[in-house]
Structure formats: C-alpha cells, structure tokens
Amino acid sequence: MFNTGARVQEVLNLRRRDVRLDAPCQVRLMGKGSKVRLCPLWPVTARLLRELISECTRCDPIRGAR
C-alpha cells in the first residue's frame, strides 16, 4: 500500500469493503482521530489486489467475502 501513503495501522485496519477496484480505483483509510481519507490506487496496485482477493476467496470463501 506504498502508493497510498498509508500508515501501518491504517493498512492493518483495512477491510475488503474499504477497497474499490473499479474505476476510479481507491482505498478508504481510517486515520488518526477517526478521519477518513480516500486515496487513489495505482493501476498495478489495483491489479495485484484483485488477484490477491480472488485467490483468498478461492481458498476461503467465507473469509474472502468479508
């Protein structure tokens, strides 16, 4: 998540619903003081996240759907 400028805790708190992989690709980060930031994702980052989510869903359909 380097290209978002996210803090470590923000990345650890991410859920599938926080990631938008349709145009415009972006991630919703909950920052300090419960402030929400919408950060764009690079196309290559979005592609890799799509692959990861697809792989996780195949391995564990229950957890992947969250």
Side-chain angles (χ1 to χ4, degrees), residues 13-37:
N13 291 339
L14 278 178
R15 300 290 176 258
R16 171 60 186 100
R17 65 179 175 259
D18 297 323
V19 180
R20 178 180 171 161
L21 296 175
D22 300 322
C25 298
Q26 60 189 14
V27 63
R28 184 178 63 171
L29 301 170
M30 182 69 73
K32 294 179 179 179
S34 297
K35 293 180 183 175
V36 175
R37 297 188 291 144

Side-chain angles (χ1 to χ4, degrees), residues 2-58:
F2 169 76
N3 73 271
T4 65
R7 296 175 181 89
V8 173
Q9 192 60 52
E10 291 173 332
V11 172
L12 292 174
N13 291 339
L14 278 178
R15 300 290 176 258
R16 171 60 186 100
R17 65 179 175 259
D18 297 323
V19 180
R20 178 180 171 161
L21 296 175
D22 300 322
C25 298
Q26 60 189 14
V27 63
R28 184 178 63 171
L29 301 170
M30 182 69 73
K32 294 179 179 179
S34 297
K35 293 180 183 175
V36 175
R37 297 188 291 144
L38 294 176
C39 299
L41 292 174
W42 292 341
V44 68
T45 303
R47 181 180 54 79
L48 291 170
L49 285 172
R50 272 189 215 95
E51 292 171 9
L52 177 66
I53 289 167
S54 174
E55 185 176 316
C56 290
T57 303
R58 281 194 309 268

